Amino acid sequence: MASEVTHNVVKFVGYGMVLAAIVAVVVWAEVLTREHRTSHPVESLEINISGGGTYRLADANSLEQWIREHGIYTDSMTLGELSIGELERTVLNHSAVASANAHVDYMGHAVLDVELREPMARLRIDGYDMYITEDGFLLSTVADRTAPVPVITGDYTPIFGPQYAGHASDVARDSIATLDRVIQELEDAKLPHYRSLDANDSALREALSESVSKGLFMSDAEYSVLVGDLERRKTAARENHTAQKRSIEAEIAMLTEQQQQARIKQRNVRSANADFEALIAFLKDVEHSTYWRDEVVQLMLTGGSSDAESYQSMEISFIPRRGRFVVDLGTATELDSKLSNLYRFYTNGLDKIGWDKYSNISLRYHGQVVCR
């Protein structure tokens, strides 16, 4: 029995010693790894790029230069000094970069995987010069790189500013949310006025409920004076009530008008955003069609202002590669159908009668192709 107990004690002590040894090795390895990361230099930075299309707006050299310009010098840093998160955030600040993922191996080789955005068109209107991607992202142009995409010109007024970078839909969403808050704040501002209306009504009821009684020894003349004074006070109370009510209702009406203006602004923003989304869809159709990608050279936009009392719908026209005419598509509705009608007119009409016969081809009217 004693031998069995002794055997179990020895076994448990052995297990404990093994476990302690494992813990010691793990701690020792962690210490060595920490010391290694603190002192070991970053041996290299490898940048792998995907996406961006045929004409990329950035390459490994330009991104490495961008990283250095923003204060990260990997060639003079240790593994402990290099922050992977900061490296990724720095690269993501480059407008052409859609995503970035970095990691460093034990030997000190830093690897940065970058996906680039692919421009689909270039917006060049008064004060604006930026690229538009398929997902509606707006990115600034790059000084030494140009993507050969359709150029958008005209007197179109976007809902975003000339220095904006990001998704156009985010501008619309934030604007609508801000206007929602404004509308609610204006509604809250009405509450004290509604309470003032109630108080004004209460004051009138109180004034009108006042009465006088003829005293036992009061003469008819004296009583008549009291009645006359009471009637004058009630008349004054009615007049004051009317004046106060008009003033308070004018304040409420002013707040209501401001709410209405905010709702009009919201409606305009929604219309402007819908137009821009329709433009993106049209550009996608052009980009994904070999025929139209070669044919559409320049787009011209008009309208689009969301600040006016009534929204001016965006209208689209474009200059084709062939012919000497302008194609007028009208508003940003049924654009896929309009392109189909135009293609049929190209193949069944212009191919037969000649490409120089007309100066303008309009598809703004449903199911019609009007030439002049």
Side-chain angles (χ1 to χ4, degrees):
M1 182 67 177
S3 175
E4 183 179 350
V5 171
T6 302
H7 175 74
N8 289 336
V9 169
V10 171
K11 182 171 65 173
F12 288 137
V13 169
Y15 287 157
M17 293 177 65
V18 171
L19 179 60
I22 292 174
V23 171
V25 170
V26 171
V27 172
W28 177 69
E30 176 64 23
V31 170
L32 288 181
T33 300
R34 188 179 299 113
E35 291 178 350
H36 173 79
R37 290 187 61 84
T38 301
S39 60
H40 194 79
V42 177
E43 297 291 346
S44 64
L45 174 62
E46 177 184 345
I47 300 179
N48 302 317
I49 296 179
S50 61
T54 305
Y55 301 91
R56 290 173 171 172
L57 296 179
D59 58 18
N61 290 334
S62 64
L63 289 179
E64 186 170 358
Q65 180 63 28
W66 173 271
I67 292 169
R68 293 178 66 84
E69 288 174 354
H70 288 76
I72 301 178
Y73 302 92
T74 57
D75 53 356
S76 61
M77 302 176 76
T78 65
L79 295 179
E81 294 171 332
L82 177 61
S83 168
I84 294 300
E86 183 181 1
L87 178 61
E88 291 175 345
R89 287 190 295 272
T90 299
V91 175
L92 284 171
N93 284 332
H94 193 292
S95 63
V97 175
S99 65
N101 183 43
H103 66 274
V104 179
D105 64 20
Y106 186 80
M107 299 305 296
H109 302 293
V111 179
L112 179 61
D113 296 320
V114 172
E115 182 180 2
L116 297 180
R117 294 187 172 91
E118 182 176 353
M120 189 169 55
R122 185 171 182 174
L123 183 64
R124 299 195 70 176
I125 56 179
D126 187 24
Y128 291 76
D129 189 5
M130 57 182 64
Y131 287 111
I132 305 173
T133 66
E134 279 199 5
D135 61 348
F137 192 92
L138 305 158
L139 58 129
S140 58
T141 56
V142 179
D144 58 342
R145 295 173 183 271
T146 302
V149 293
V151 176
I152 300 174
T153 61
D155 61 358
Y156 170 67
T157 305
I159 58 175
F160 45 85
Q163 304 304 320
Y164 178 72
H167 290 93
S169 58
D170 290 345
V171 176
R173 182 200 61 209
D174 293 345
S175 179
I176 290 171
T178 298
L179 290 166
D180 275 334
R181 289 192 294 271
V182 169
I183 291 170
Q184 185 57 52
E185 288 169 0
L186 291 168
E187 189 64 31
D188 293 342
K190 291 180 182 180
L191 294 178
H193 299 296
Y194 289 134
R195 287 194 287 268
S196 295
L197 283 176
D198 291 340
N200 190 42
D201 290 342
S202 296
L204 178 62
R205 286 193 298 269
E206 183 177 349
L208 295 180
S209 66
E210 186 181 352
S211 61
V212 294
S213 302
K214 185 178 181 181
L216 183 60
F217 302 104
M218 183 181 295
S219 67
D220 290 342
E222 289 174 329
Y223 179 66
S224 178
V225 170
L226 288 179
V227 171
D229 288 341
L230 177 60
E231 288 302 322
R232 283 190 292 272
R233 289 198 301 273
K234 289 185 177 182
T235 299
R238 292 188 186 96
E239 292 174 350
N240 182 66
H241 175 269
T242 300
Q244 288 292 328
K245 182 179 180 181
R246 287 175 178 170
S247 176
I248 296 168
E249 288 179 341
E251 293 291 334
I252 294 174
M254 182 181 67
L255 295 172
T256 301
E257 175 61 23
Q258 292 175 7
Q259 286 180 309
Q260 181 61 19
Q261 292 300 318
R263 292 188 179 98
I264 291 173
K265 175 69 173 177
Q266 279 187 323
R267 184 183 64 205
N268 290 348
V269 169
R270 290 189 178 96
S271 297
N273 187 55
D275 273 352
F276 195 78
E277 289 182 347
L279 173 65
I280 297 298
F282 174 72
L283 291 172
K284 284 183 184 179
D285 289 342
V286 170
E287 175 67 19
H288 295 163
S289 167
T290 303
Y291 184 87
W292 292 117
R293 185 171 62 246
D294 293 337
E295 181 67 7
V296 177
V297 176
Q298 177 181 345
L299 284 84
M300 294 168 289
L301 306 182
T302 60
S305 176
S306 59
D307 293 324
E309 182 71 19
S310 59
Y311 177 70
Q312 183 181 357
S313 296
M314 180 180 68
E315 296 192 354
I316 305 174
S317 59
F318 72 85
I319 297 176
R321 189 173 302 279
R322 293 177 293 174
R324 298 179 180 178
F325 51 84
V326 174
V327 177
D328 176 17
L329 296 174
T331 60
T333 57
E334 301 180 335
L335 291 174
D336 52 348
S337 176
K338 292 174 182 178
L339 276 185
S340 297
N341 291 339
L342 180 61
Y343 179 77
R344 285 194 294 271
F345 179 69
Y346 269 17
T347 55
N348 297 326
L350 294 183
D351 281 346
K352 297 177 181 178
I353 64 177
W355 288 79
D356 297 330
K357 185 175 180 62
Y358 303 111
S359 62
N360 183 277
I361 298 176
S362 175
L363 297 100
R364 62 172 49 244
Y365 305 109
H366 177 73
Q368 298 184 38
V369 179
V370 180
C371 305
R372 65 174 189 271

